[in-house]
Amino acid sequence: MSRSYSPRKRSLVTGGAGFLGSHLIDRLLGDGHEVLCVDNLFTGTRDNVAHLRRHERFEFLRHDVTFPLYVEVDQIYNFACPASPIHYQHDPVQTTKTSVHGSINMLGLAKRLGARILQASTSEVYGDPSIHPQTEDYWGNVNPIGPRSCYDEGKRCAETMFFDYHRQHGLDIKVARIFNTYGPRMHPADGRVVSNFVVQALTGEPLTIYGDGLQSRSLCFVDDLIDGIVALMDSEPGFTGPINLGNPVECTMRELAEMVIELTASKSELVEAPLPADDPRQRQPDISLARSRLGWEPKVELRDGLELTILDLRERILG
Ligand code: NAD
Ligand code: UDP
């Protein structure tokens, strides 16, 4: 419930200077919210929110969510956490702390304020899945001690904290399990497959296919994902999720590389490189729940989304 005299909703977005967070902020400002962006700028950049510097309903606060935060808001989107394997493995202890301590701090804040809180969880909670496509009732197949564990187990523990605050304190929670998302403002050096392939194709470098390239992912364009996130936040009270948000259209990494080459008209070749440890073999969301409870499904075709992503990266890396 809002305690301010303003009829506008005050939304806190942690990780708001990152890829997804900055798109979410654009949407919330467009919907008339006041937005507080909290970010320690570990992987996010001021550039992602530079266009909002003079926006009267936007505020930026440099802060690490592993430390407590005292602000007054009506709803919280908890997006703070490095998301690409090279970033989250850079300081794995801090990654787990960001998911776990960060969630505890944001849940404590939500409890004091009586605010609704949404967690940006991930398909990584399913690990290397043994059922396909993945439904929300699947408990996952996660290595607890591998190089990806700081992220996967951190996010799993965050989900546990969300559901315990819900059961124990009656907190109004929403948990989104986000599948691979791509689009403009991806960090060009974050090592994720779409940014890697596009940058390599644009600069004439070989596209690095890890392993045989037959592993699959289902790639969702950022605008579709943000529609789903906002629909979940605005969903009926008592509906907590977890809910899968992603694009069920699956492709192999080799098919993706070939499509990027074609769309960039690049002369780059494909080269094989070693497959990282614990790299999931396949991943595809079952989005029946999102379809029925949120009336949501992705609309943007991979080819169209890639064209917009290529345009953005071309401008940023080649000027
Ligand atoms: P990103 O790295 O671009 O954004 C993460 C943001 O969090 C960055 O701005 C970073 O500086 C900030 N941050 C990191 N640690 C922090 C801390 N301790 N305190 C404050 N800020 C901190 O990544 P993204 O792709 O935008 O991902 C955003 C969220 O969505 C993450 O929680 C991620 O786990 C989740 N997610 C993303 C995807 C995807 O495909 N992009 C998939 C599943 C889940
Ligand atoms: N990948 C690849 N070449 C690259 C970067 C990634 O073949 O240059 C593969 C990677 O091994 C994985 C898939 O692409 O199988 C998706 O990787 P990403 O890091 O984007 O996401 P995640 O593994 O977290 O789903």
Side-chain angles (χ1 to χ4, degrees):
M1 194 210 306
S2 176
R3 285 155 216 237
S4 82
Y5 295 106
S6 162
R8 291 190 191 118
K9 236 181 212 145
R10 295 165 303 175
S11 297
L12 163 62
V13 180
T14 75
F19 163 51
L20 296 184
S22 61
H23 282 277
L24 174 60
I25 289 174
D26 286 342
R27 174 70 55 90
L28 295 173
L29 288 170
D31 289 347
H33 293 218
E34 286 179 22
V35 178
L36 172 60
C37 168
V38 164
D39 202 297
N40 69 351
L41 300 181
F42 172 50
T43 54
T45 73
R46 287 182 197 280
D47 290 349
N48 285 339
V49 288
H51 59 293
L52 304 172
R53 216 171 24 214
R54 290 189 216 295
H55 197 296
E56 55 167 5
R57 285 183 276 110
F58 175 74
E59 196 180 347
F60 176 78
L61 174 66
R62 187 170 187 160
H63 172 81
D64 183 328
V65 294
T66 62
F67 295 95
L69 176 69
Y70 292 87
V71 293
E72 309 301 314
V73 292
D74 304 307
Q75 57 182 27
I76 302 169
Y77 289 90
N78 190 33
F79 275 63
C81 188
S84 86
I86 57 167
H87 286 156
Y88 68 65
Q89 289 168 16
H90 172 74
D91 185 350
V93 173
Q94 171 69 5
T95 299
T96 303
K97 278 189 187 169
T98 295
S99 278
V100 179
H101 292 195
S103 291
I104 293 171
N105 288 330
M106 291 310 113
L107 287 161
L109 177 64
K111 182 170 161 236
R112 174 172 71 78
L113 299 171
R116 181 172 281 193
I117 179 166
L118 182 148
Q119 167 68 354
S121 191
T122 168
S123 53
E124 294 282 330
V125 300
Y126 301 125
D128 192 5
S130 49
I131 70 150
H132 194 73
Q134 293 80 55
T135 44
E136 290 85 351
D137 56 6
Y138 174 54
W139 290 354
N141 175 32
V142 176
N143 176 358
I145 57 167
R148 294 176 83 106
S149 311
C150 58
Y151 185 72
D152 302 6
E153 296 289 19
K155 289 284 188 180
R156 285 168 70 93
C157 183
E159 286 200 10
T160 306
M161 295 302 311
F162 267 70
F163 277 85
D164 283 336
Y165 266 79
H166 173 64
R167 281 185 290 259
Q168 199 173 331
H169 300 298
L171 216 66
D172 188 3
I173 64 156
K174 309 277 176 190
V175 174
R177 290 188 179 151
I178 303 170
F179 284 64
N180 298 61
T181 303
Y182 70 98
R185 292 192 203 144
M186 287 190 89
H187 197 300
D190 72 3
R192 281 188 266 195
V193 68
V194 172
S195 43
N196 264 16
F197 285 175
V198 172
V199 171
Q200 288 161 344
L202 290 175
T203 53
E205 298 291 320
L207 273 63
T208 48
I209 306 267
Y210 298 164
D212 57 12
L214 299 180
Q215 70 273 33
S216 71
R217 292 294 186 274
S218 307
L219 298 164
C220 185
F221 187 63
V222 62
D223 290 0
D224 280 336
L225 193 270
I226 298 301
D227 284 345
I229 293 289
V230 171
L232 176 61
M233 181 59 111
D234 294 343
S235 63
E236 71 211 68
F239 178 65
T240 57
I243 188 164
N244 291 338
L245 293 178
N247 192 324
V249 180
E250 194 179 345
C251 72
T252 69
M253 296 306 97
R254 200 168 274 281
E255 287 166 346
L256 177 68
E258 280 157 5
M259 194 182 285
V260 169
I261 296 268
E262 182 203 324
L263 292 175
T264 50
S266 170
K267 297 208 170 16
S268 293
E269 293 176 346
L270 308 189
V271 291
E272 285 192 8
L275 188 69
D278 296 337
D279 197 275
R281 189 73 197 149
Q282 54 180 12
R283 196 183 284 147
Q284 188 199 114
D286 180 316
I287 59 163
S288 314
L289 188 63
R291 280 197 176 105
S292 67
R293 296 302 292 259
L294 307 179
W296 174 86
E297 63 182 353
K299 297 187 181 74
V300 181
E301 301 276 343
L302 180 58
R303 183 172 279 277
D304 299 336
L306 281 177
E307 275 180 352
L308 294 168
T309 310
I310 290 165
L311 212 65
D312 168 69
L313 278 167
R314 192 192 296 275
E315 204 167 290
R316 282 190 291 142
I317 64 169
L318 303 179

